[in-house]
Amino acid sequence: MADDASPRDACPLQTIFALSEAGLLPAGDDAPIVAQACRVWPYDASLALAAVAYPMPGSDRIGERQLRLVVAMLGAEDARLLAVHETDLAEDAAFALTGDGLLLDTARYDLAKGVRAFGVVLRSAAPGPSCPDGRANDEMTLYVREGETLRPVFTSNLDFWARVEGEPCSWAPGQRLVTEEARFTIAVQPTAHHGFADLRVQSNVARTETVTGSDRETSSQRRDSRVLRYDGSRYDTSALQNGFFWTQAPSDE
């Protein structure tokens, strides 16, 4: 996610009204909204971007709800609906959405001449298991506009943590525990496949080693990256499996 990912700005009332009038959000002043983010697109100030999530009927308990995410492009002045994409989201032990869980990323994702993507980030607030082996968060999807449709072309988590060595929640003296945490950043490359630019995904990895019963702790950092190619419909993210691609041999070619 880039530095110009927006804080979670509330959507203007005219945007919520326009989405409701189009049947994309529940109608009424008391329509439930779980999370929302809106922003005028720096790439084109005549356009506004919106991401709004709401619960489906009968879904009330956080962590167990069925949600719908509406991503839309509208006229910045009149909130005229131009393009949209809808996604169903299921909450569980690993994913729960709260009011600050949606962000917009409007970095310069210039994928082709006249085609700039934007990102929507889902930030989970789920606590997860008490003794995890790993976790992932900040799932980002890049969208491009095709007429009245917003098409997802890339999806990956951007934040990862994993236990590399040692047993979780084991306090036996002398146990060595190694964990790694990584954060992805995405850059557009000058090369292209099937009409869209390649994407370089760089991981900044922080490794921490501790020994139970000792105050000794060592930390180190490293970087690794992979180049992702467009296959004609979306970017192949198989090289990012589980987020921990740096344990594999480089395979940019």
Side-chain angles (χ1 to χ4, degrees):
M1 188 168 60
D3 292 338
D4 51 356
S6 173
R8 292 151 289 272
D9 297 331
C11 295
L13 291 178
Q14 69 169 355
T15 296
I16 299 299
F17 179 77
L19 296 177
S20 297
E21 283 289 289
L24 297 169
L25 295 180
D29 294 337
D30 296 326
I33 292 178
V34 173
Q36 57 182 297
C38 282
R39 191 179 195 187
V40 173
W41 202 6
Y43 169 61
D44 185 343
S46 69
L47 302 175
L49 307 174
V52 183
Y54 67 93
M56 302 301 288
S59 297
D60 301 319
R61 187 170 180 178
I62 295 178
E64 300 178 1
R65 297 173 297 186
Q66 297 294 318
L67 307 177
R68 179 158 293 167
L69 172 65
V70 178
V71 180
M73 181 180 293
L74 310 96
E77 294 295 328
D78 57 8
R80 179 170 59 93
L81 185 63
L82 301 174
V84 68
H85 185 273
E86 295 181 89
T87 305
D88 289 334
L89 306 172
E91 292 186 321
D92 53 25
F95 173 73
L97 194 65
T98 57
D100 61 355
L102 279 177
L103 301 93
L104 289 167
D105 185 348
T106 55
R108 295 178 61 92
Y109 297 117
D110 291 314
L111 303 184
K113 185 177 181 180
V115 179
R116 177 174 290 188
F118 67 91
V120 175
V121 179
L122 293 170
R123 178 163 292 172
S124 174
S130 58
C131 296
D133 287 323
R135 63 173 181 266
N137 207 340
D138 286 2
E139 181 184 270
M140 184 174 79
T141 299
L142 291 178
Y143 295 88
V144 296
R145 182 185 179 184
E146 293 183 347
E148 297 180 353
T149 300
L150 294 174
R151 184 169 65 89
V153 296
F154 168 94
T155 299
S156 174
N157 291 101
L158 301 179
D159 187 79
F160 299 88
W161 175 91
R163 178 180 54 83
V164 178
E165 185 178 329
E167 294 298 322
C169 292
S170 174
W171 305 108
Q175 179 188 211
R176 183 169 178 262
L177 180 64
V178 180
T179 62
E180 291 188 338
E181 186 166 6
R183 185 72 181 172
F184 284 175
T185 57
I186 301 171
V188 178
Q189 299 296 286
T191 53
H193 287 81
H194 297 283
F196 273 17
D198 298 338
L199 298 178
R200 179 173 291 278
V201 180
Q202 178 172 289
S203 178
N204 297 293
V205 187
R207 180 183 179 94
T208 302
E209 301 182 21
T210 60
V211 176
T212 304
S214 169
D215 59 2
R216 186 179 70 190
E217 178 178 298
T218 60
S219 299
S220 61
Q221 295 191 6
R222 67 184 186 278
R223 292 182 179 179
D224 201 347
S225 68
R226 291 291 180 272
V227 172
L228 307 184
R229 295 164 177 168
Y230 186 69
D231 64 10
S233 61
R234 61 189 306 123
Y235 285 90
D236 179 6
T237 58
S238 58
L240 310 182
Q241 185 177 9
N242 298 323
F244 295 94
F245 56 75
W246 50 83
T247 62
Q248 307 170 12
S251 58
D252 282 358
E253 297 304 323

